[in-house]
Amino acid sequence: MNFKVFSVLTLVLSACILSSCRKLVEVDGPATSVSSKNVYSNDATAIGAITSLYVNLSNGNPIIPQEINGISGVAGLSADELDYYSGAGNQALAVYYQNSLSSLNVSSDFWGTTYQRLFLVNSALEGLESSSGLTPLVKQHLMGEAYFMRAFYYFYLVNLYGDVPLVLSTDYTVNAVIKRTLKAVVYDQIVADLKEAQKLLGNGYLKGDGITEYSSGSEERVRPNKWAAIALLARTYLFMKRWADAEATATLVLSNHTFFQLEALGNVFLKNNREAIWQLQPTAVGYNTSEAKVFVIPDGGPSGDNPVYLSNELLKDFETGDQRGDRWVGSVNANSTVYYYPYKYKVKPSGINAVVTEYSTVIRLAELYLIRAESRAQLGNLSDAISDVDGIRHRAGLPLIKNTNPNVNQEGLVALILKEKRIEFFAEWGHRWLDLKRTGKVDEVMGKVTPKKNNGAAWKSYQQYYPISSFELQSNRNLTQTVGY
């Protein structure tokens, strides 16, 4: 890993964010760049340092493997969700689609960028802990956000790369020679960080001053709060197969009717809707989401700017009458070919005076219903599991399992829940790719799909984890390549 000291650059970025992203932080930043020594000495610059993480995510591109939000497109290509337009000329993206990555052709990956973000998180935790100049409540909330973000980044790293170095400090002498850590240990750290975040973060959504909560109904859900930490913890327990913990933790969020409820399909990706648990606010004036910019294919068809579209494997899994196909899937006929594309986000960037109506949604309530449904099914509570998944099916306008298949067995119900999740969360944060791996279905599915994507080349099981670049291996003599590459 490249753990070069870049704190000054990061902190300068934070200072810039404070002045250019006023909607998010709502406070003025410093007139000059700040040093690592004083960035956590006052509320404004400390808030800005943490805010930079959200700004970077918001600015990321869903088909570029750098910021973690790139997983929406990249992992969709690696799996069986998205197809790649061969005329786009993006070889870096093509190798993810063809499952033909190697240490030599990984010109862009999530590894280096995410560890840079983790450096900032660890720096924040160290700076906040030692700071005596912050308002106590601001300090508490920012530490909670930092713990949350560390867990968030590690959740994706461990699912994309397997065993990964667990870096918990800014000590370069340690980090420069650190080895990979077992997945189980990384998961334990994720759980510990999320429990700490849950204790430190407030119940409501905070304004940019780091103290004041939005009044009910006016929340900007763009800074993680206690409920975001609980939701991510429920997901983590699911991946760890701690079914009882996943069920109980998901229930905490699902029981909070004050903040959360399922929305109508047309509202799910609007800003500040009540299904959203955590969203990313666009940072440029008049700009909606990068998802709409990249996924919505114009009349001319796919291109280098819009190089992906929905796969036939995904489309055939939509049931007749599924309203998500009507509301969340778009199409364009170009050169006598119909291309179907993700249409969850509909508003493309359209200039400085454009009204922002959509925010990128990172975590939403529907996932918690399906987490609880799967956990309950695994625990043998089939009737309540059916009730949870039927809530999602009812919104989609589909027949309810309790009416059509009330005697389904445990294995069959888990399969139905996973299929429901596949349709509900296509092109969102890599859910399909990660679920194929955690459920042990990746070889079965990708063994059929990969030859279609890569001129008959066979799928190899190790390809479920991404390699790291040769540059990273050269930077740390103790770092080993992902097994198989």
Side-chain angles (χ1 to χ4, degrees):
M1 280 170 297
N2 181 19
F3 283 114
K4 291 185 173 69
V5 178
F6 55 91
S7 57
V8 173
L9 177 61
T10 301
L11 295 172
V12 170
L13 172 64
S14 301
C16 295
I17 286 162
L18 283 168
S19 60
S20 65
C21 187
R22 298 272 173 84
K23 283 204 304 179
L24 189 60
V25 295
E26 295 180 355
V27 291
D28 288 327
T32 59
S33 62
V34 294
S35 70
S36 57
K37 184 176 181 180
N38 65 18
V39 67
Y40 299 105
S41 64
N42 69 77
D43 291 352
T45 53
I47 291 171
I50 299 299
T51 298
S52 70
L53 298 171
Y54 313 137
V55 173
N56 286 327
L57 281 174
S58 181
N59 286 340
N61 188 309
I63 58 167
I64 294 180
Q66 289 179 346
E67 294 292 340
I68 284 295
N69 72 321
I71 194 175
S72 293
V74 174
L77 286 167
S78 293
D80 58 346
E81 280 189 332
L82 298 174
D83 280 347
Y84 169 73
Y85 176 60
S86 60
N90 188 332
Q91 186 58 30
L93 201 57
V95 293
Y96 282 92
Y97 172 62
Q98 295 169 342
N99 305 117
S100 60
L101 288 164
S102 74
S103 62
L104 298 177
N105 65 19
V106 183
S107 58
S108 178
D109 65 8
F110 297 105
W111 182 284
T113 300
T114 304
Y115 274 106
Q116 289 178 13
R117 305 300 174 239
L118 283 166
F119 182 94
L120 191 150
V121 169
N122 289 328
S123 178
L125 287 169
E126 293 169 2
L128 290 166
E129 181 66 35
S130 62
S131 176
S132 59
L134 299 178
T135 303
L137 195 56
V138 170
K139 178 177 179 177
Q140 175 185 324
H141 286 157
L142 291 181
M143 289 193 69
E145 290 184 39
Y147 278 115
F148 172 86
M149 290 304 297
R150 188 164 72 180
F152 175 80
Y153 286 126
Y154 271 117
F155 176 85
Y156 284 102
L157 280 174
V158 80
N159 277 285
L160 293 176
Y161 295 96
D163 299 342
V164 295
L166 185 59
V167 180
L168 302 176
S169 78
T170 60
D171 187 339
Y172 180 76
T173 61
V174 173
N175 297 342
V177 294
I178 197 168
K179 298 179 180 180
R180 288 182 183 252
T181 304
L182 292 176
K183 285 175 61 177
V185 177
V186 179
Y187 268 121
D188 287 342
Q189 184 64 49
I190 294 170
V191 170
D193 281 352
L194 289 173
K195 287 184 174 180
E196 190 66 23
Q198 181 181 343
K199 289 191 298 184
L200 293 169
L201 291 170
N203 185 66
Y205 290 93
L206 296 183
K207 295 184 178 182
D209 62 6
I211 300 175
T212 309
E213 290 188 7
Y214 284 100
S215 59
S216 179
S218 67
E219 301 95 350
E220 291 275 331
R221 301 174 178 223
V222 296
R223 299 197 81 95
N225 64 0
K226 177 178 74 173
W227 301 106
I230 296 172
L232 185 55
L233 182 59
R235 182 198 294 177
T236 302
Y237 283 144
L238 183 79
F239 276 62
M240 297 173 76
K241 299 185 179 181
R242 292 172 57 172
W243 311 121
D245 288 330
E247 179 194 17
T249 308
T251 298
L252 290 175
V253 182
L254 293 169
S255 300
N256 185 352
H257 304 297
T258 300
F259 278 132
F260 308 115
Q261 67 181 31
L262 289 179
E263 291 273 11
L265 292 176
N267 297 336
V268 172
F269 301 99
L270 298 180
K271 67 176 186 179
N272 308 330
N273 75 84
R274 289 173 60 81
E275 184 167 334
I277 298 173
W278 178 34
Q279 296 184 304
L280 299 174
Q281 185 185 69
T283 57
V285 175
Y287 191 95
N288 275 263
T289 66
S290 56
E291 287 89 346
K293 180 180 180 181
V294 170
F295 288 145
V296 177
I297 299 176
D299 291 342
S303 65
D305 293 329
N306 305 98
V308 303
Y309 52 95
L310 296 178
S311 69
N312 289 329
E313 283 78 13
L314 173 65
L315 292 170
K316 70 185 181 182
D317 275 352
F318 277 86
E319 296 178 42
T320 301
D322 192 331
Q323 294 177 13
R324 290 170 295 195
D326 298 326
R327 302 303 298 270
W328 294 353
V329 175
S331 65
V332 61
N333 190 328
N335 300 318
S336 302
T337 301
V338 178
Y339 297 94
Y340 295 91
Y341 55 83
Y343 198 41
K344 292 178 172 179
Y345 300 93
K346 298 173 170 45
V347 183
K348 286 202 166 192
S350 55
I352 193 169
N353 294 320
V355 176
V356 176
T357 59
E358 298 175 337
Y359 288 174
S360 297
T361 300
V362 189
I363 304 175
R364 58 187 178 93
L365 196 66
E367 182 187 354
L368 278 298
Y369 276 105
L370 294 177
I371 287 172
R372 191 169 71 175
E374 185 178 345
S375 301
R376 285 174 165 177
Q378 295 286 3
L379 292 167
N381 182 0
L382 304 190
S383 60
D384 285 342
I386 289 172
S387 178
D388 279 338
V389 72
D390 272 350
I392 305 300
R393 290 181 63 82
H394 173 74
R395 177 172 72 174
L398 293 172
L400 304 184
I401 296 173
K402 70 176 183 180
N403 297 329
T404 62
N405 198 2
N407 298 317
V408 62
N409 63 20
Q410 182 185 57
E411 182 180 3
L413 181 56
V414 170
L416 288 174
I417 293 166
L418 289 170
K419 182 179 178 183
E420 202 65 44
K421 188 176 181 185
R422 168 166 168 70
I423 300 301
E424 180 72 19
F425 287 97
F426 70 88
E428 284 187 64
W429 292 90
H431 281 283
R432 171 66 170 175
W433 183 234
L434 305 192
D435 282 344
L436 285 175
K437 294 188 283 185
R438 73 172 175 86
T439 59
K441 299 292 185 181
V442 66
D443 289 341
E444 175 188 343
V445 171
M446 298 309 299
K448 299 174 183 177
V449 174
T450 298
K452 299 178 185 178
K453 299 195 295 181
N454 193 15
N455 300 315
W459 163 261
K460 301 176 181 64
S461 188
Y462 70 82
Q463 293 169 327
Q464 64 187 282
Y465 293 115
Y466 293 152
I468 58 176
S469 70
S470 55
F471 170 77
E472 299 293 349
L473 295 173
Q474 294 166 3
S475 299
N476 176 359
R477 65 180 182 273
N478 290 331
L479 187 60
T480 56
Q481 182 57 276
T482 306
V483 175
Y485 291 97

